[in-house]
Every structure is written in C-alpha cells, then in structure tokens.
Amino acid sequence: LWSHLKHPDPRVKAAAAAALSPCLDHEANLRMVQDRFVISLPLLTKTLTETQKEIEEQRALPGQVLPSAKKSVKSDAATRCEQVCRPLEEVQANVCAMVGNCARSPICLGILTQQGLLEQLAKLCKTRHEELRKNLAYAIANCSPHGDNCRRLGSLGCCTKLVEFLRSPDHDVRLTTSLALMQLSLDSECWGELLHIFSTCFYIASSSSSSLFPSHFSPSHFLRLSCQRKTARSCMGLML
C-alpha cells in the first residue's frame, strides 16, 4: 500500500492513503512504521508537495483564456480544472490523515518536520475542500506539540487561516480546527495572535447585527477548549 503512494494516478494514491490511515491509528502498526519504514516517511511530504504543485499549475490554466472568449469557454476550462484538482485534493486529504496519525510518534514527527512538513501544511491552509480542511487541522493539532512547531506554525500564518475554518458548516471541520487552535494556543506568541483575532471578532459581533461566524458556531467553543491556559481568563472577560 505504501508503494502505491508513488502511483501516477491520483485516484490510486488517494485510495492507498485512505487504506493506510486507519492502520496507522494502531500503536503496533505505528511502531512498525517507526522501526521499518522510517526511511519512507519523506514520501508523505513529497506527495503533498507534488500534488500542490499540480493543483497550482492546473488552476493557472483557466487564467490563460482570453478575456474576449465566450463565457461557455471559460466555464468549460474551470470545469476541467475542477475535475483534475478534485482527485488531487482527495490525495492531500488522505495523506494529511496519515500525517496526523504518524505525528503521534515523536520519531516519525521529527523526521517529517525535518523534511519541511510544516511549511507544506501551512500552504494547504488556503484550501476550501472540506475533507482536506478536517484532516489538515487534525495533522496540525498532532504536529504542534513537537519542539517549537507551535511557534513555527504560527509564524507561517496558520492561526489566522485556521480561524477561517471555523466558518465551515461541517461539525468535524470545526472540531478538529478547535483542537488545532487549542494546541497552537499553548505557545505564547500564537496565543497573543489568537487573542487579538477573537477579541476583534467579539467587538465586531457586539457592535453589528451580523456575525463573523455562522449561527451554529460560537467562539466560546474554542475558548472552552483553551481554558487550560490562565491567560484565557482575559479573553473570557471580553465575552462577559
């Protein structure tokens, strides 16, 4: 299955990653990867990098259509782009789930971090693919506790981008995003940034009839998860 991640067809890659992810959720299998397949771990980062490059190349193609072209031509180009990008995003979503499970091993996480995993995860935060958002937030949540990963992820702009995920109508996306933000908040710099973001949201929401968040989400959900920090009291005070 691991070798199928090198297959040229993104559908095969996505299926292989989807099959491997639940296997890595078991401690025995994770130890086997750590002991025997540790040399293959960089393949995960490589897969994320290559698929992202393909997506960016495909999304640049519709822009090459002449402005004077008919709307139907532009629509067809956008549709073709979406058809190509969708399987690639599914590959990224399933590989992120694998990363999230592998990150529970400090050895595996250390190797992935050295291979530029954090930078690639930060690039994926621009996605609007719901399944990818869910698994990406899960991966970030599990990668954050290692070393200075929290601070590095914060410096890459993950805090601001993840807050956008909280607008999602998908409960699982909001749940994993809250867990990721909770882990990032353990770093003082990330917490300061999140405190500023949420205090701004509360201020705008209290002075306007419209809210920055949908009706089914309350920022207090994130704050409840973050209450383990003493500094959370200052943000809770803003709510009161």
Side-chain angles (χ1 to χ4, degrees):
L1 283 174
W2 202 283
S3 65
H4 289 344
L5 294 176
K6 300 179 182 179
H7 199 281
D9 190 333
R11 294 170 298 180
V12 175
K13 288 182 181 179
L20 283 166
S21 180
C23 293
L24 296 174
D25 198 29
H26 293 273
E27 294 296 331
N29 293 334
L30 187 57
R31 283 196 299 270
M32 183 175 65
V33 170
Q34 177 180 305
D35 297 337
R36 302 182 187 179
F37 297 100
V38 70
I39 199 170
S40 301
L41 284 173
L43 181 59
L44 299 182
T45 304
K46 182 181 178 182
T47 301
L48 291 177
T49 303
E50 290 178 349
T51 51
Q52 183 62 21
K53 184 178 179 181
E54 289 183 56
I55 289 174
E56 290 173 355
E57 289 175 351
Q58 287 295 327
R59 287 182 174 163
L61 294 178
Q64 297 174 6
V65 179
L66 296 175
S68 58
K70 294 182 180 179
K71 289 184 178 180
S72 59
V73 175
K74 296 180 181 179
S75 177
D76 290 343
T79 302
R80 286 195 300 271
C81 173
E82 186 62 26
Q83 290 174 346
V84 174
C85 292
R86 181 63 60 175
L88 294 172
E89 289 177 324
E90 290 176 1
V91 173
Q92 292 177 329
N94 294 336
V95 170
C96 280
M98 288 183 63
V99 168
N101 286 332
C102 284
R104 294 184 295 113
S105 164
I107 295 176
C108 293
L109 179 54
I111 293 173
L112 290 170
T113 301
Q114 290 177 356
Q115 295 296 322
L117 174 66
L118 303 186
E119 290 76 11
Q120 194 54 48
L121 293 179
K123 290 180 182 178
L124 295 179
C125 286
K126 296 183 291 185
T127 184
R128 295 193 176 278
H129 189 284
E130 291 296 289
E131 186 69 16
L132 176 52
R133 282 183 163 188
K134 180 187 75 173
N135 293 340
L136 174 60
Y138 173 67
I140 290 175
N142 285 349
C143 289
S144 296
H146 178 76
D148 64 343
N149 282 3
C150 270
R151 185 156 299 186
R152 290 178 60 187
L153 287 166
S155 66
L156 291 169
C158 287
C159 293
T160 303
K161 295 172 184 175
L162 284 173
V163 169
E164 289 292 322
F165 289 14
L166 295 175
R167 298 171 182 262
S168 172
D170 190 316
H171 173 267
D172 290 336
V173 174
R174 300 195 304 275
L175 176 60
T176 57
T177 300
S178 296
L179 293 173
L181 289 173
M182 180 188 71
Q183 290 294 339
L184 290 173
S185 71
L186 297 178
D187 175 72
S188 58
E189 291 186 9
C190 290
W191 172 253
E193 183 178 353
L194 290 170
L195 179 63
H196 173 73
I197 293 171
F198 278 97
S199 61
T200 302
C201 291
F202 296 148
Y203 175 77
I204 294 176
S206 62
S207 60
S208 172
S209 58
S210 61
S211 174
L212 293 181
F213 298 97
S215 58
H216 54 249
F217 171 75
S218 171
S220 61
H221 177 54
F222 163 72
L223 293 174
R224 284 198 298 272
L225 289 172
S226 302
C227 66
Q228 59 183 301
R229 288 185 57 88
K230 293 181 180 179
T231 49
R233 295 177 183 174
S234 59
C235 203
M236 292 296 289
L238 290 172
M239 296 182 65
L240 298 175

